[in-house]
Amino acid sequence: MGDVTPANDAERQAAVQALESSFSELMTVFRRFVADAAERVSPGMLPATFKALSVVSRFGPMTLSALAERLAADKGFLSRAISELEEMGLVARTPDPNDRRSRLITVTDLGHERLSEARAPHQGRLYEALADWSVDEIGHLSTMLHALAVGEIPGRR
């Protein structure tokens, strides 16, 4: 990084504020998607419950503690959400073969089916939004977002 002058600092602050604004817009769209998808899985389902189902589907069987850590969510809320999902037949809990005191949460075939149906209306949206982008531009965006998410400087590991 070059010398930081007051002009450069003001420019950086403006750029970061514009990025924050863009993220805010993106998060609003994402929250709408999650709320809509939750309704499609089961009318009245809370978006946070849908996120729990989605995370277990994406990352495979996991304990409640691992799910709470991944979502940075309250274990009490997640326990109730998983019980609700279990009652609907969307997840199952089985003994953890590595720790018999714990149970693994797994998405059932019905859960995968409902998730797929819920995501279908939005499935191609990102693909379509990036239709005019080059593969390199998409890859660069992915690299930049990953670096931002994990606190790295892009291109340096």
Side-chain angles (χ1 to χ4, degrees):
M1 192 159 114
D3 293 330
V4 177
T5 64
N8 287 348
D9 191 44
E11 218 175 291
R12 177 175 293 279
Q13 285 180 349
V16 170
Q17 286 174 346
L19 180 61
E20 286 175 353
S21 178
S22 294
F23 272 124
S24 179
E25 290 174 49
L26 186 61
M27 293 307 297
T28 298
V29 169
F30 183 72
R31 277 193 290 273
R32 276 191 221 122
F33 159 74
V34 170
D36 179 58
E39 272 296 309
R40 288 177 182 280
V41 170
S42 179
M45 177 181 280
L46 295 174
T49 302
F50 175 81
K51 286 183 201 174
L53 179 63
S54 294
V55 166
V56 176
S57 175
R58 181 173 181 203
F59 295 102
M62 64 179 60
T63 63
L64 184 65
S65 294
L67 179 61
E69 186 176 319
R70 182 163 293 278
L71 287 172
D74 177 71
K75 279 175 72 172
F77 169 79
L78 283 176
S79 179
R80 290 185 298 277
I82 296 303
S83 291
E84 178 185 329
L85 292 168
E86 193 173 30
E87 287 171 16
M88 289 188 275
L90 304 178
V91 301
R93 290 189 248 199
T94 58
D96 183 343
N98 299 321
D99 181 358
R100 292 285 177 194
R101 297 168 296 168
S102 295
R103 294 169 44 130
L104 291 177
I105 303 160
T106 308
V107 177
T108 63
D109 289 343
L110 177 62
H112 285 296
E113 183 182 313
R114 289 274 188 84
L115 275 171
S116 181
E117 291 169 0
R119 291 176 174 149
H122 302 282
Q123 203 77 39
R125 188 164 186 263
L126 184 58
Y127 188 86
E128 290 171 16
L130 298 173
D132 293 330
W133 291 40
S134 72
V135 171
D136 286 343
E137 289 168 330
I138 295 168
H140 184 68
L141 176 61
S142 180
T143 299
M144 299 294 278
L145 288 174
H146 174 77
L148 181 61
V150 299
E152 293 177 351
I153 297 172
R156 299 184 200 167
R157 288 190 182 198

